[in-house]
Amino acid sequence: MYQEMILDHYRRPRNKGTLENADASAEMRNPLCGDEIDLQVKFTGDSVDDLRFSGRGCSISQASASMMTQIVKGKSTAEVDDIRNRFRELMLGDQTAASDARLGSLRAFSGVSRFPARVKCALLAWNALDTVLVSRRD
Ligand code: ZN
């Protein structure tokens, strides 16, 4: 079931494209796998108003980006930090994260933690989001 969810987002990515009037953007590459993610974010106050990504690569990297855009859209940067940290813990094999409802569909990636090389794929979009949030704080 989880594998199907990842394939669904890979085949029909959500929020893919270019964002007009983005406030910040970041590009991330994963040369080990050939994954690319370009992320654009628009903020309203302290919240993620909208975001889009473009890119190419393996199903895990692209599905992770697609699901990420869905879950962080409309959230405050503090909430985004919380989800991002929890997702990292999931990727490190934290079993409590695997049953954390806050992660929603991101729990589909829980099996990826067994494959360290693929963890980099799953975290690529989140690292791009990290860069955007850090640049905004400066
Ligand atoms: Zn990959």
Side-chain angles (χ1 to χ4, degrees), residues 33-55:
C33 187
D35 305 321
E36 303 179 3
I37 295 288
D38 293 350
L39 183 68
Q40 298 175 304
V41 185
K42 186 174 181 359
F43 294 94
T44 297
D46 189 45
S47 294
V48 174
D49 182 56
D50 203 359
L51 71 172
R52 296 277 191 285
F53 80 98
S54 57

PDB file of all heavy atoms in Angstrom, residues 33-55:
ATOM      1  N   CYS A  33      22.492   9.493  -6.954  1.00  0.00           N
ATOM      2  CA  CYS A  33      21.336   8.878  -7.602  1.00  0.00           C
ATOM      3  C   CYS A  33      20.927   9.633  -8.862  1.00  0.00           C
ATOM      4  O   CYS A  33      20.175   9.121  -9.680  1.00  0.00           O
ATOM      5  CB  CYS A  33      20.181   8.829  -6.600  1.00  0.00           C
ATOM      6  SG  CYS A  33      18.727   7.927  -7.143  1.00  0.00           S
ATOM      7  N   GLY A  34      21.435  10.872  -9.009  1.00  0.00           N
ATOM      8  CA  GLY A  34      21.044  11.692 -10.148  1.00  0.00           C
ATOM      9  C   GLY A  34      19.756  12.462  -9.934  1.00  0.00           C
ATOM     10  O   GLY A  34      19.142  12.915 -10.898  1.00  0.00           O
ATOM     11  N   ASP A  35      19.349  12.613  -8.669  1.00  0.00           N
ATOM     12  CA  ASP A  35      18.106  13.333  -8.369  1.00  0.00           C
ATOM     13  C   ASP A  35      18.337  14.836  -8.367  1.00  0.00           C
ATOM     14  O   ASP A  35      19.380  15.317  -7.916  1.00  0.00           O
ATOM     15  CB  ASP A  35      17.572  12.937  -6.985  1.00  0.00           C
ATOM     16  CG  ASP A  35      17.384  11.445  -6.845  1.00  0.00           C
ATOM     17  OD1 ASP A  35      16.950  10.814  -7.823  1.00  0.00           O
ATOM     18  OD2 ASP A  35      17.674  10.929  -5.757  1.00  0.00           O
ATOM     19  N   GLU A  36      17.327  15.566  -8.831  1.00  0.00           N
ATOM     20  CA  GLU A  36      17.359  17.029  -8.819  1.00  0.00           C
ATOM     21  C   GLU A  36      16.024  17.556  -8.305  1.00  0.00           C
ATOM     22  O   GLU A  36      14.970  17.068  -8.726  1.00  0.00           O
ATOM     23  CB  GLU A  36      17.581  17.585 -10.229  1.00  0.00           C
ATOM     24  CG  GLU A  36      18.840  17.083 -10.887  1.00  0.00           C
ATOM     25  CD  GLU A  36      19.018  17.632 -12.296  1.00  0.00           C
ATOM     26  OE1 GLU A  36      18.178  18.454 -12.728  1.00  0.00           O
ATOM     27  OE2 GLU A  36      19.988  17.218 -12.962  1.00  0.00           O
ATOM     28  N   ILE A  37      16.102  18.561  -7.432  1.00  0.00           N
ATOM     29  CA  ILE A  37      14.901  19.234  -6.929  1.00  0.00           C
ATOM     30  C   ILE A  37      15.152  20.734  -6.935  1.00  0.00           C
ATOM     31  O   ILE A  37      16.151  21.209  -6.392  1.00  0.00           O
ATOM     32  CB  ILE A  37      14.566  18.807  -5.477  1.00  0.00           C
ATOM     33  CG1 ILE A  37      14.196  17.334  -5.396  1.00  0.00           C
ATOM     34  CG2 ILE A  37      13.441  19.688  -4.900  1.00  0.00           C
ATOM     35  CD1 ILE A  37      12.842  16.972  -5.967  1.00  0.00           C
ATOM     36  N   ASP A  38      14.262  21.470  -7.582  1.00  0.00           N
ATOM     37  CA  ASP A  38      14.245  22.930  -7.488  1.00  0.00           C
ATOM     38  C   ASP A  38      12.954  23.298  -6.780  1.00  0.00           C
ATOM     39  O   ASP A  38      11.864  22.940  -7.235  1.00  0.00           O
ATOM     40  CB  ASP A  38      14.260  23.580  -8.872  1.00  0.00           C
ATOM     41  CG  ASP A  38      15.585  23.343  -9.598  1.00  0.00           C
ATOM     42  OD1 ASP A  38      16.522  22.855  -8.941  1.00  0.00           O
ATOM     43  OD2 ASP A  38      15.654  23.649 -10.786  1.00  0.00           O
ATOM     44  N   LEU A  39      13.079  24.007  -5.677  1.00  0.00           N
ATOM     45  CA  LEU A  39      11.920  24.328  -4.841  1.00  0.00           C
ATOM     46  C   LEU A  39      11.713  25.837  -4.798  1.00  0.00           C
ATOM     47  O   LEU A  39      12.670  26.598  -4.631  1.00  0.00           O
ATOM     48  CB  LEU A  39      12.150  23.790  -3.422  1.00  0.00           C
ATOM     49  CG  LEU A  39      11.016  23.962  -2.431  1.00  0.00           C
ATOM     50  CD1 LEU A  39       9.822  23.089  -2.812  1.00  0.00           C
ATOM     51  CD2 LEU A  39      11.492  23.631  -1.018  1.00  0.00           C
ATOM     52  N   GLN A  40      10.470  26.251  -4.928  1.00  0.00           N
ATOM     53  CA  GLN A  40      10.110  27.672  -4.836  1.00  0.00           C
ATOM     54  C   GLN A  40       9.022  27.819  -3.794  1.00  0.00           C
ATOM     55  O   GLN A  40       8.066  27.023  -3.783  1.00  0.00           O
ATOM     56  CB  GLN A  40       9.602  28.180  -6.178  1.00  0.00           C
ATOM     57  CG  GLN A  40      10.639  28.086  -7.283  1.00  0.00           C
ATOM     58  CD  GLN A  40      10.039  28.499  -8.596  1.00  0.00           C
ATOM     59  OE1 GLN A  40       9.042  27.959  -9.032  1.00  0.00           O
ATOM     60  NE2 GLN A  40      10.643  29.500  -9.226  1.00  0.00           N
ATOM     61  N   VAL A  41       9.180  28.829  -2.938  1.00  0.00           N
ATOM     62  CA  VAL A  41       8.248  28.999  -1.823  1.00  0.00           C
ATOM     63  C   VAL A  41       7.777  30.442  -1.738  1.00  0.00           C
ATOM     64  O   VAL A  41       8.565  31.378  -1.908  1.00  0.00           O
ATOM     65  CB  VAL A  41       8.907  28.596  -0.475  1.00  0.00           C
ATOM     66  CG1 VAL A  41       7.884  28.660   0.658  1.00  0.00           C
ATOM     67  CG2 VAL A  41       9.519  27.207  -0.561  1.00  0.00           C
ATOM     68  N   LYS A  42       6.505  30.595  -1.464  1.00  0.00           N
ATOM     69  CA  LYS A  42       5.926  31.914  -1.205  1.00  0.00           C
ATOM     70  C   LYS A  42       5.381  31.929   0.217  1.00  0.00           C
ATOM     71  O   LYS A  42       4.668  30.996   0.621  1.00  0.00           O
ATOM     72  CB  LYS A  42       4.808  32.186  -2.210  1.00  0.00           C
ATOM     73  CG  LYS A  42       4.229  33.596  -2.114  1.00  0.00           C
ATOM     74  CD  LYS A  42       3.235  33.814  -3.235  1.00  0.00           C
ATOM     75  CE  LYS A  42       2.625  35.214  -3.235  1.00  0.00           C
ATOM     76  NZ  LYS A  42       3.033  36.117  -2.189  1.00  0.00           N
ATOM     77  N   PHE A  43       5.753  32.952   0.970  1.00  0.00           N
ATOM     78  CA  PHE A  43       5.322  33.055   2.367  1.00  0.00           C
ATOM     79  C   PHE A  43       4.256  34.136   2.531  1.00  0.00           C
ATOM     80  O   PHE A  43       4.245  35.127   1.805  1.00  0.00           O
ATOM     81  CB  PHE A  43       6.510  33.416   3.260  1.00  0.00           C
ATOM     82  CG  PHE A  43       7.560  32.348   3.336  1.00  0.00           C
ATOM     83  CD1 PHE A  43       8.656  32.365   2.486  1.00  0.00           C
ATOM     84  CD2 PHE A  43       7.456  31.324   4.264  1.00  0.00           C
ATOM     85  CE1 PHE A  43       9.627  31.371   2.549  1.00  0.00           C
ATOM     86  CE2 PHE A  43       8.429  30.329   4.341  1.00  0.00           C
ATOM     87  CZ  PHE A  43       9.515  30.362   3.473  1.00  0.00           C
ATOM     88  N   THR A  44       3.382  33.920   3.499  1.00  0.00           N
ATOM     89  CA  THR A  44       2.495  34.971   3.973  1.00  0.00           C
ATOM     90  C   THR A  44       2.717  35.057   5.469  1.00  0.00           C
ATOM     91  O   THR A  44       2.408  34.106   6.190  1.00  0.00           O
ATOM     92  CB  THR A  44       1.017  34.660   3.673  1.00  0.00           C
ATOM     93  OG1 THR A  44       0.845  34.608   2.261  1.00  0.00           O
ATOM     94  CG2 THR A  44       0.118  35.736   4.250  1.00  0.00           C
ATOM     95  N   GLY A  45       3.299  36.188   5.911  1.00  0.00           N
ATOM     96  CA  GLY A  45       3.658  36.286   7.314  1.00  0.00           C
ATOM     97  C   GLY A  45       4.645  35.196   7.662  1.00  0.00           C
ATOM     98  O   GLY A  45       5.685  35.061   7.026  1.00  0.00           O
ATOM     99  N   ASP A  46       4.297  34.372   8.639  1.00  0.00           N
ATOM    100  CA  ASP A  46       5.192  33.307   9.085  1.00  0.00           C
ATOM    101  C   ASP A  46       4.778  31.944   8.521  1.00  0.00           C
ATOM    102  O   ASP A  46       5.279  30.911   8.952  1.00  0.00           O
ATOM    103  CB  ASP A  46       5.203  33.264  10.619  1.00  0.00           C
ATOM    104  CG  ASP A  46       6.276  32.318  11.140  1.00  0.00           C
ATOM    105  OD1 ASP A  46       7.414  32.381  10.619  1.00  0.00           O
ATOM    106  OD2 ASP A  46       5.975  31.513  12.034  1.00  0.00           O
ATOM    107  N   SER A  47       3.875  31.942   7.558  1.00  0.00           N
ATOM    108  CA  SER A  47       3.376  30.666   7.042  1.00  0.00           C
ATOM    109  C   SER A  47       3.769  30.446   5.589  1.00  0.00           C
ATOM    110  O   SER A  47       3.948  31.401   4.822  1.00  0.00           O
ATOM    111  CB  SER A  47       1.848  30.615   7.151  1.00  0.00           C
ATOM    112  OG  SER A  47       1.460  30.602   8.497  1.00  0.00           O
ATOM    113  N   VAL A  48       3.878  29.164   5.233  1.00  0.00           N
ATOM    114  CA  VAL A  48       4.121  28.786   3.842  1.00  0.00           C
ATOM    115  C   VAL A  48       2.803  28.951   3.094  1.00  0.00           C
ATOM    116  O   VAL A  48       1.869  28.177   3.292  1.00  0.00           O
ATOM    117  CB  VAL A  48       4.623  27.333   3.751  1.00  0.00           C
ATOM    118  CG1 VAL A  48       4.725  26.894   2.296  1.00  0.00           C
ATOM    119  CG2 VAL A  48       5.972  27.189   4.444  1.00  0.00           C
ATOM    120  N   ASP A  49       2.731  29.986   2.284  1.00  0.00           N
ATOM    121  CA  ASP A  49       1.493  30.269   1.559  1.00  0.00           C
ATOM    122  C   ASP A  49       1.328  29.307   0.393  1.00  0.00           C
ATOM    123  O   ASP A  49       0.243  28.771   0.152  1.00  0.00           O
ATOM    124  CB  ASP A  49       1.529  31.717   1.069  1.00  0.00           C
ATOM    125  CG  ASP A  49       0.240  32.088   0.355  1.00  0.00           C
ATOM    126  OD1 ASP A  49      -0.814  31.943   0.972  1.00  0.00           O
ATOM    127  OD2 ASP A  49       0.303  32.497  -0.820  1.00  0.00           O
ATOM    128  N   ASP A  50       2.417  29.083  -0.342  1.00  0.00           N
ATOM    129  CA  ASP A  50       2.338  28.209  -1.515  1.00  0.00           C
ATOM    130  C   ASP A  50       3.752  27.753  -1.865  1.00  0.00           C
ATOM    131  O   ASP A  50       4.732  28.405  -1.487  1.00  0.00           O
ATOM    132  CB  ASP A  50       1.720  28.963  -2.694  1.00  0.00           C
ATOM    133  CG  ASP A  50       1.099  28.021  -3.717  1.00  0.00           C
ATOM    134  OD1 ASP A  50       1.161  26.789  -3.511  1.00  0.00           O
ATOM    135  OD2 ASP A  50       0.562  28.515  -4.716  1.00  0.00           O
ATOM    136  N   LEU A  51       3.840  26.655  -2.559  1.00  0.00           N
ATOM    137  CA  LEU A  51       5.152  26.172  -2.989  1.00  0.00           C
ATOM    138  C   LEU A  51       5.002  25.248  -4.188  1.00  0.00           C
ATOM    139  O   LEU A  51       3.953  24.648  -4.392  1.00  0.00           O
ATOM    140  CB  LEU A  51       5.918  25.501  -1.845  1.00  0.00           C
ATOM    141  CG  LEU A  51       5.494  24.145  -1.279  1.00  0.00           C
ATOM    142  CD1 LEU A  51       6.552  23.652  -0.287  1.00  0.00           C
ATOM    143  CD2 LEU A  51       4.139  24.206  -0.584  1.00  0.00           C
ATOM    144  N   ARG A  52       6.059  25.215  -4.993  1.00  0.00           N
ATOM    145  CA  ARG A  52       6.097  24.350  -6.175  1.00  0.00           C
ATOM    146  C   ARG A  52       7.492  23.746  -6.261  1.00  0.00           C
ATOM    147  O   ARG A  52       8.462  24.320  -5.780  1.00  0.00           O
ATOM    148  CB  ARG A  52       5.878  25.149  -7.461  1.00  0.00           C
ATOM    149  CG  ARG A  52       4.521  25.796  -7.591  1.00  0.00           C
ATOM    150  CD  ARG A  52       3.467  24.850  -8.126  1.00  0.00           C
ATOM    151  NE  ARG A  52       2.257  25.584  -8.462  1.00  0.00           N
ATOM    152  CZ  ARG A  52       1.402  26.052  -7.562  1.00  0.00           C
ATOM    153  NH1 ARG A  52       1.620  25.884  -6.288  1.00  0.00           N
ATOM    154  NH2 ARG A  52       0.332  26.712  -7.945  1.00  0.00           N
ATOM    155  N   PHE A  53       7.542  22.603  -6.925  1.00  0.00           N
ATOM    156  CA  PHE A  53       8.865  22.040  -7.170  1.00  0.00           C
ATOM    157  C   PHE A  53       8.954  21.578  -8.616  1.00  0.00           C
ATOM    158  O   PHE A  53       7.942  21.273  -9.257  1.00  0.00           O
ATOM    159  CB  PHE A  53       9.161  20.878  -6.210  1.00  0.00           C
ATOM    160  CG  PHE A  53       8.527  19.570  -6.603  1.00  0.00           C
ATOM    161  CD1 PHE A  53       9.270  18.606  -7.287  1.00  0.00           C
ATOM    162  CD2 PHE A  53       7.207  19.288  -6.307  1.00  0.00           C
ATOM    163  CE1 PHE A  53       8.698  17.384  -7.645  1.00  0.00           C
ATOM    164  CE2 PHE A  53       6.624  18.086  -6.671  1.00  0.00           C
ATOM    165  CZ  PHE A  53       7.369  17.135  -7.337  1.00  0.00           C
ATOM    166  N   SER A  54      10.168  21.576  -9.123  1.00  0.00           N
ATOM    167  CA  SER A  54      10.429  20.909 -10.383  1.00  0.00           C
ATOM    168  C   SER A  54      11.648  20.029 -10.155  1.00  0.00           C
ATOM    169  O   SER A  54      12.382  20.211  -9.187  1.00  0.00           O
ATOM    170  CB  SER A  54      10.666  21.916 -11.514  1.00  0.00           C
ATOM    171  OG  SER A  54      11.730  22.774 -11.183  1.00  0.00           O
ATOM    172  N   GLY A  55      11.825  19.087 -11.010  1.00  0.00           N
ATOM    173  CA  GLY A  55      12.975  18.213 -10.814  1.00  0.00           C
ATOM    174  C   GLY A  55      12.801  16.909 -11.546  1.00  0.00           C
ATOM    175  O   GLY A  55      11.840  16.701 -12.295  1.00  0.00           O
TER     176      GLY A  55
END
